[in-house]
Amino acid sequence: LDLGSGHGGLSHEIAQKFSCKVVSFNISEEQNNMNKAEAERLGIGHLISVELGNFNVNFPPANMTNTFTHVVSCEVFCHAASKPDLLNGITNILKPGGVLVFTDIMGADGADEKA
């Protein structure tokens, strides 16, 4: 699962590199349409499925429980209304032994924004 997949760049990269199926989960219908079109252009449309959704509302969908071996997310957690709720939702969709890999914008109190 590519959580907060945007235009699908990471989903496409994973599908191309590993020839695996990827579910792109994203809030923007316009971005999702761009994701699908690019996947088709790249010849990997059969590997990408796109799901419209908002991880701040009713996440995870019931059909995702215990489904994924991996969840990846790139600079998306900063948009979570509740990070503990998001992480609990991710725990529910990962299969036993599944892995979460994420990057996010982080800072510390007193950090120099210019550094």
Side-chain angles (χ1 to χ4, degrees), residues 1-75:
L1 175 73
D2 181 0
L3 184 64
S5 56
H7 298 101
L10 182 57
S11 296
H12 303 156
E13 184 93 14
I14 291 168
Q16 287 176 309
K17 183 168 179 109
F18 299 105
S19 297
C20 64
K21 293 186 176 184
V22 180
V23 175
S24 298
F25 186 87
N26 195 57
I27 194 170
S28 169
E29 190 169 355
E30 182 179 350
Q31 288 179 336
N32 291 345
N33 290 335
M34 295 168 81
N35 180 344
K36 289 180 211 175
E38 182 65 4
E40 289 298 328
R41 189 189 73 74
L42 293 169
I44 56 170
H46 63 289
L47 295 175
I48 304 288
S49 63
V50 179
E51 185 149 342
L52 180 66
N54 180 347
F55 59 70
N56 285 313
V57 179
N58 299 323
F59 182 80
N63 66 326
M64 287 188 176
T65 301
N66 197 30
T67 301
F68 299 101
T69 57
H70 297 80
V71 174
V72 297
S73 186
C74 183
E75 296 184 5

